Amino acid sequence: MEKPFFNRKKIRKDGYDYSTNANYFVTVVVHDRLCLFGDVVDGEMILNQAGLAMDEAVRNLSKDYMMSLVPIYVIMPNHIHFIFTNLDDIPLCEVLRRFKSYTTHLYIEGVKNKGWKEFHNRLWQHSYYDHIIRNQRSYDYISNYIFMNPQRWMKDAINPYHDADTDEIMKNVIDLM
């Protein structure tokens, strides 16, 4: 009997070198979209202990990769958006692999020692969303999207309790390329 072949949706740009010095918009989402990092209250993200640990991990991306920057980011209850400026010729997938590995270890320690909520099987979804930022207009739009994300939480499709009228703003990013 032949094994079934599963087709995953391709999310990386064919032929693009992701170690290229560039700006990338990245989103990593908690597996099963569990809200582990805090709550949005009146349009403001309030980080819990786990969220504060994720905040430090994101800020350390710039320290871990000496020539790379994370100029803007937001930690949401179940995902993180950030702009990653790669100046170090390290493939984006490697940066994200290390980040997910480190934060998973950090989170497991928090579950064991600090009473953080448990997660199922793994902390992060298998993949991540990325978008190559090609111009200043796109950079500005995405920066605003990240900044405004807590205020749009109830319309965010990643929010397990979102309104039926979901936020469709990211579709506009394609028009800015």
Side-chain angles (χ1 to χ4, degrees), residues 30-159:
V30 173
H31 182 67
D32 293 334
R33 297 184 178 184
L34 298 174
C35 293
L36 302 175
F37 305 139
D39 294 301
V40 176
V41 178
D42 295 328
E44 181 180 345
M45 181 62 197
I46 308 299
L47 298 174
N48 59 19
Q49 281 188 330
L52 292 170
M54 295 303 120
D55 183 66
E56 184 174 342
V58 172
R59 285 186 280 118
N60 283 337
L61 275 176
S62 291
K63 293 177 188 171
D64 293 344
Y65 302 97
M66 299 304 267
M67 296 301 296
S68 302
L69 306 168
V70 181
I72 185 167
Y73 65 96
V74 66
I75 297 167
M76 297 298 291
N78 63 1
H79 64 282
I80 301 173
H81 292 299
F82 58 90
I83 293 175
F84 179 75
T85 303
N86 188 358
L87 303 172
D88 226 3
D89 297 331
I90 299 171
L92 184 62
C93 63
E94 178 63 16
V95 172
L96 271 293
R97 185 193 66 75
R98 291 180 191 177
F99 176 77
K100 286 180 169 184
S101 177
Y102 171 71
T103 53
T104 297
H105 173 77
L106 189 68
Y107 198 91
I108 289 169
E109 289 300 311
V111 169
K112 289 179 182 175
N113 301 319
K114 299 176 183 175
W116 296 357
K117 289 182 189 176
E118 292 188 19
F119 57 88
H120 311 126
N121 301 322
R122 60 180 180 253
L123 180 60
W124 301 108
Q125 285 184 358
H126 174 71
S127 195
Y128 56 90
Y129 171 82
D130 72 80
H131 172 79
I132 305 159
I133 302 173
R134 293 186 173 85
N135 57 49
Q136 189 63 46
R137 182 175 172 216
S138 181
Y139 187 96
D140 293 344
Y141 185 88
I142 292 167
S143 295
N144 187 55
Y145 175 83
I146 292 170
F147 179 74
M148 299 296 291
N149 206 247
Q151 294 171 31
R152 287 190 316 278
W153 176 238
M154 288 312 297
K155 294 186 180 291
D156 194 326
I158 298 174
N159 177 352

